[in-house]
């Protein structure tokens, strides 16, 4: 099959670090167009993609007959409109998260993709982090007994408010919309749909105007509680992941190095020396090697979906949006909110 002609909208961090690297040398995709209105970025683009065509209008992308796939890596305010425009023109779409703010809006776009016979994917790339792949393996191979608590966090130290749109009073700005989609997706992929949601949003930095800290609890019918959170003033070691069961506990500290990987490597495990330990009821600790991330799998799987014409993560993407919307309802009403 011919290569899938791909256009990327936006040339910020998401494109440079997460979309272009796996697409640039992928045997089944060819990046032919990049949309940016910033003339200063043209030289940098041509340094890495000398033959790409740079355009400045969404219409130049969606109306181009040869373009098969549109990757939307822009600010959140145009995710819905750009996705709809591309789908209406019969393009496959990958849209950065956060996708849209309500389940109804998301469902309408997924329904449109089905009607047009194209694939729509939300860019949930963190499911291919090495630590998540390691946890998936542990849940299949280790007897945790009854799992009662899971902690999944995205803490960082960044005491100064940036000029980035994520720190401004913009559409779906703030750390909740920025990082919760990663954590919620991983939680429900690993443990399924929760019964109730509780959310608290905070502003920790004095000059911040949107949330820069959130704490969220997913409660399950069997008693499992999953604690999700992200802080911006974390100066000490906090477990990135912790799983507590009646038989064993797993704890992992720090962000993977590298936290993304776009090449098939001979080495299966990281050499990062991050703390990753399994502890049993006798206090015996077992070091758990952390798998190397495989972010290239996102576009491998997308190719399989395009060829088979069968999307495979629509339900998960919709559930993420539903849980996040119910989380905001929980925050506004100051109470637990049940999922339908």
């Amino acid at each position: 099959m011919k290569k899938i002609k791909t256009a990327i909208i936006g040339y910020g961090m998401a494109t440079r670090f997460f979309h272009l690297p796996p697409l640039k040398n992928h045997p089944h995709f060819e990046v032919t167009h990049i949309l940016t209105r910033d003339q200063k970025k043209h030289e940098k683009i041509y340094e890495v993609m000398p033959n790409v065509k740079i355009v400045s209008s969404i219409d130049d992308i969606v109306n181009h007959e040869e373009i098969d796939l549109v990757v939307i890596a822009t600010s959140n305010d145009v995710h819905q409109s750009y996705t709809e425009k591309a789908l209406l023109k019969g393009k496959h779409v990958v849209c950065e998260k956060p996708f849209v703010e309500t389940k109804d809006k998301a469902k309408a776009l997924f329904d449109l993709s089905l009607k047009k016979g194209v694939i729509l994917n939300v860019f949930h790339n963190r499911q291919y982090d090495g630590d998540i792949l390691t946890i998936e393996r542990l849940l299949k191979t280790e007897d945790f007994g009854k799992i009662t608590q899971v902690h999944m966090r995205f803490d960082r130290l960044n005491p100064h408010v940036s000029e980035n749109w994520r720190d401004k009073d913009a559409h779906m700005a703030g750390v909740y919309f920025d990082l919760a989609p990663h954590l919620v997706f991983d939680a429900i992929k690993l443990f399924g749909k929760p019964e109730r949601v509780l959310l608290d949003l905070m502003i920790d930095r004095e000059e911040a105007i949107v949330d820069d800290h959130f704490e969220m609890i997913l409660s399950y019918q069997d008693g499992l509680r999953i604690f999700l959170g992200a802080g911006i003033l974390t100066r000490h070691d906090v477990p990135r992941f912790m799983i507590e069961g009646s038989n064993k506990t797993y704890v992992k500290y720090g962000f993977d190095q590298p936290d993304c990987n776009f090449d098939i490597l001979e080495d299966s495990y990281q050499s990062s020396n991050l703390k990753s330990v399994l502890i049993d009821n006798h206090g015996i600790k077992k070091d758990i090697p952390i798998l190397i991330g495989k972010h290239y799998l996102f576009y491998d799987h997308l190719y399989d979906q395009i060829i088979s014409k069968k999307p495979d993560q629509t339900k998960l993407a919709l559930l993420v949006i539903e849980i996040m919307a119910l989380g905001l309802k929980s925050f506004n009403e100051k109470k637990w909110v049940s999922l339908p």
Side-chain angles (χ1 to χ4, degrees), residues 109-161:
L109 292 171
F110 279 111
D111 287 346
L112 178 59
S113 70
L114 289 173
K115 180 180 178 181
K116 290 292 184 177
V118 293
I119 301 298
L120 167 60
N121 268 0
V122 181
F123 191 59
H124 287 296
N125 58 318
R126 289 290 177 179
Q127 63 184 300
Y128 304 114
D129 280 355
D131 44 26
I132 291 295
L133 298 177
T134 302
I135 289 171
E136 281 185 314
R137 176 180 290 186
L138 286 174
L139 291 172
K140 293 175 181 176
T141 59
E142 297 289 342
D143 179 14
F144 281 89
K146 180 182 179 181
I147 297 176
T148 57
Q149 291 188 31
V150 175
H151 296 255
M152 308 173 74
R153 302 198 58 83
F154 221 113
D155 296 303
R156 300 164 297 165
L157 175 59
N158 191 359
H160 303 295
V161 175

Side-chain angles (χ1 to χ4, degrees), residues 7 29 65 89 153 159 187 193 197 235 262 270 310:
F29 294 90
E65 292 184 359
K89 294 293 185 175
R153 302 198 58 83
K193 181 179 178 179
V197 178
R235 299 177 178 88
F262 305 112
Q270 298 179 31
K310 293 180 180 179

Side-chain angles (χ1 to χ4, degrees), residues 57-329:
S57 167
I58 179 65
D59 292 331
D60 293 332
I61 299 294
V62 298
N63 291 329
H64 198 294
E65 292 184 359
E66 292 186 1
I67 291 175
D68 306 302
L69 168 66
V70 177
V71 177
I72 300 171
T74 64
S75 56
N76 301 335
D77 57 327
V78 295
H79 283 184
Q80 181 181 1
S81 61
Y82 281 13
T83 298
E84 184 177 26
K85 282 187 175 183
L87 293 175
L88 285 170
K89 294 293 185 175
K91 312 296 185 187
H92 304 292
V93 175
V94 169
C95 185
E96 266 289 349
K97 54 85 214 148
F99 182 34
V100 291
E101 66 272 34
T102 69
K103 183 182 178 181
D104 288 344
K105 290 181 179 180
K107 190 175 184 307
L109 292 171
F110 279 111
D111 287 346
L112 178 59
S113 70
L114 289 173
K115 180 180 178 181
K116 290 292 184 177
V118 293
I119 301 298
L120 167 60
N121 268 0
V122 181
F123 191 59
H124 287 296
N125 58 318
R126 289 290 177 179
Q127 63 184 300
Y128 304 114
D129 280 355
D131 44 26
I132 291 295
L133 298 177
T134 302
I135 289 171
E136 281 185 314
R137 176 180 290 186
L138 286 174
L139 291 172
K140 293 175 181 176
T141 59
E142 297 289 342
D143 179 14
F144 281 89
K146 180 182 179 181
I147 297 176
T148 57
Q149 291 188 31
V150 175
H151 296 255
M152 308 173 74
R153 302 198 58 83
F154 221 113
D155 296 303
R156 300 164 297 165
L157 175 59
N158 191 359
H160 303 295
V161 175
S162 73
E163 291 299 315
N164 189 280
W165 57 266
R166 292 176 179 85
D167 281 338
K168 298 182 182 300
D169 186 15
H171 185 62
M172 292 194 289
V175 72
Y176 178 62
F177 276 112
D178 188 31
L179 297 179
H182 292 310
L183 297 173
V184 172
F185 184 94
D186 289 337
I188 61 176
K189 185 181 180 186
L190 292 171
F191 298 99
K193 181 179 178 179
E195 184 182 34
R196 298 184 300 159
V197 178
L198 183 68
L199 173 69
D200 195 12
L201 300 178
M202 291 149 277
I203 297 178
D204 289 348
R205 296 173 296 183
E206 291 184 1
E207 66 271 33
I209 59 175
V210 294
D211 62 276
D212 56 10
H213 180 185
F214 80 87
E215 301 292 339
M216 189 178 200
I217 306 175
L218 307 181
S219 177
Y220 289 72
Q221 195 169 16
D222 61 359
L224 170 64
R225 294 262 176 117
I226 300 182
F227 298 85
L228 310 177
I232 204 75
L233 296 177
T234 305
R235 299 177 178 88
H236 55 93
D237 289 340
V238 176
R240 172 103 162 90
F241 295 101
M242 185 166 65
I243 302 172
E244 290 190 344
S246 58
N247 293 338
K248 295 179 181 179
T249 292
Y250 172 71
V251 62
K252 187 256 183 178
Y253 287 83
F255 291 94
D256 291 357
Q257 297 295 328
D259 66 350
C260 54
N261 172 43
F262 305 112
D263 300 298
I264 299 175
L265 303 177
E266 292 182 5
D267 297 328
S268 298
Y269 297 98
Q270 298 179 31
S271 57
S272 56
N273 296 318
L274 294 173
K275 184 177 179 180
S276 171
V277 180
L278 192 68
I279 310 166
D280 68 14
N281 284 336
H282 302 288
I284 298 174
K285 298 180 180 179
K286 175 185 176 183
D287 290 333
I288 302 297
I290 307 169
L291 291 165
I292 292 176
K294 298 180 179 180
H295 281 221
Y296 58 84
L297 288 178
F298 180 89
Y299 281 105
D300 284 358
H301 289 164
L302 176 64
Y303 176 75
D304 291 340
Q305 292 172 67
I306 290 174
I307 295 302
S308 67
K309 299 182 179 179
K310 293 180 180 179
D312 62 13
Q313 291 196 332
T314 301
K315 290 183 179 179
L316 280 174
L318 285 170
L319 186 54
V320 169
I321 294 163
E322 180 178 19
I323 289 172
M324 291 195 58
L326 292 175
L328 290 176
K329 178 179 171 68

